[in-house]
Amino acid sequence: MTKLLAIVRREYLERVRTRSFIIGTFLVPLLMGGFAYLPQLLMRRETGARRIVVLDATTGGQGERIARALAAARRGDAPDAPARFVVERQEAAGRIEPLRDSVVGLIGLRQGPAGAPDGLLVLTDEAIATGKVTYLGSNVTSIRDMRVLDQVLEPALRRERLQRQGATPAIVEAAALPLELEAVKVTEGRLTGQSAEASFWVAYVVNLVMYLALLVYGLQVMGAVVEEKTNRIVEVLISSVTPFQLLLGKVIGVGAVG
């Protein structure tokens, strides 16, 4: 037992006294938290209003109403919240392609003119009927911008399609209500009060931590065994302790470090 404890003590102290262990103990959690939070921070970062040109080739004022819906979008629920989009509507009946090419030439320029657009939205009667709207912009890689644009356009297009079918304003407003699905976890026949999203992230984080711990722990044990084998010390140790005691001491010592 004394020999086993000596091996455990040696494996433990050999690692906790290193500079890499001390730095990693504090740095790794900070890096993991940073990698998890930084993407969300970048997505939530508020930028200036996006300038969008709407090429309107629709009939019956549909493009004008959709452009007003875009201009009415705000960054928050406050009455004085800044606008998300600066919208410029251009009539494009019969000349979509030349207007589109001229606007596209101004998008994404590093040293473009003042007030250059960030994106171009092409609206036609067919696009409204099918829901397949074309958007050309320099910010298409921004998940947040595309999600906000989709959240504004989707109900506006639905409203226009319903009005085309002769729906009354009351029916249009009722159909525009969004779905709010509240999912609550049930365990052992009882409500836990825990949302489905929270349950998923708890399970995901716990499994990730367990996976990393087992991976690092296994690599540390392997490194300890290889170290003794490389230094030819294992022959000397085997003369004093059994192979089982040596391996058990390494497993316990490295595990205590973990």
Side-chain angles (χ1 to χ4, degrees), residues 18 42 52 80 86 92 99 106 109 132 142:
T18 60
L42 293 176
I52 296 180
D80 57 346
V86 176
L99 285 176
L106 299 174
L109 298 178
K132 298 180 180 179
S142 173

Side-chain angles (χ1 to χ4, degrees), residues 229-246:
K229 190 75 173 178
T230 304
N231 296 335
R232 313 292 293 181
I233 302 177
V234 65
E235 289 85 353
V236 178
L237 293 176
I238 292 301
S239 63
S240 301
V241 297
T242 64
F244 177 77
Q245 288 177 325
L246 179 61

